[in-house]
Amino acid sequence: MKIGILQTGLVPEGMAETVGEYPDMFARLLDGRGFTFETYPVVKGAFPEGPEAADGWLITGSRHGVYEDHDWLPPLEELVRAIYAAGKPLVGVCFGHQVIAQALGGRVEKFAGGWKVGPTPYRFADGVRTINAWHQDQVVEAPQGAEVVAESEGCRYAALHYPGHAYTVQPHPEFDDTFTRALIETRGPGVVPQGQLDEASGKLGTPLDSAALADQFARFFRERTIA
């Protein structure tokens, strides 16, 4: 099964040589589950011809906000709606979670309550899962028809299920502790309160439940269900 990865952001400068870009992280996350991947760096204006270019689609995270003015954002939202209408399974993570919600009628804002950084517990129907987070923006109004399937403290819409169409999550199962530490050191200072960065650093090494989300992604791509 071919998964088209819509790349909406770039890793911090100088890190790609060691960790790869975001699509590489998702390929590692989903490794061994029978998928092939093709990347479309939409952040650089490179788009697929349409929904039929892949069997399923995944939208990555990004340092950009979905409410910002970028030339590539309107066509990305159009593509989201086209994928949805075509019935191709769609997965979104962080920025991907947000842009899918916005494209389908939801609302995204910079959360007044601040950032979520590092290992964070999220309440799913089958229990609490700890996954690395890196965001201040979040969905504050879900689109009509979306089911809320996970939440965390201060993040009501942490995961959304659009039955038969899409499954999206706010946290980053593709981020391991090494990459999260690099973000804390390169993108965090001056942006995220230092006390919060220190707290997040201290939590690195907490066992993560990223594989459980990877299994859900794989199930959704193949079966259009997360159960």
Side-chain angles (χ1 to χ4, degrees), residues 40-109:
Y40 299 89
V42 297
V43 68
K44 297 181 179 179
F47 281 81
E49 291 186 2
E52 301 303 321
D55 302 309
W57 295 93
L58 186 151
I59 305 180
T60 72
S62 175
R63 69 182 302 174
H64 301 296
V66 301
Y67 44 73
E68 294 174 357
D69 183 17
H70 299 287
D71 290 344
W72 50 273
L73 269 171
L76 176 59
E77 290 193 34
E78 290 178 11
L79 179 58
V80 166
R81 290 187 286 268
I83 292 170
Y84 194 95
K88 297 286 186 177
L90 176 62
V91 167
V93 172
C94 198
F95 178 96
H97 166 73
Q98 296 163 12
V99 78
I100 291 168
Q102 181 169 282
L104 298 176
R107 189 162 56 90
V108 177
E109 291 182 354

Side-chain angles (χ1 to χ4, degrees), residues 90-98 100-101 120-127 129 131 133 135 137-143 145-163 166-173 212-213 216-217 220 226:
L90 176 62
V91 167
V93 172
C94 198
F95 178 96
H97 166 73
Q98 296 163 12
I100 291 168
T120 302
Y122 292 87
R123 294 181 294 275
F124 287 78
D126 58 354
R129 298 177 185 169
I131 306 159
H135 74 95
D137 294 352
Q138 62 177 266
V139 176
V140 296
E141 184 178 322
E147 302 172 348
V148 182
V149 293
E151 62 180 8
S152 68
E153 184 179 354
C155 186
R156 178 181 177 187
Y157 302 109
L160 295 172
H161 178 222
Y162 305 75
Y167 178 45
T168 71
V169 300
Q170 181 59 63
H172 285 279
L213 268 188
Q216 275 196 319
F217 291 172
F220 187 80
I226 59 173

Side-chain angles (χ1 to χ4, degrees), residues 8 18 32 52 87 112 114 200:
T8 61
T18 55
E52 301 303 321

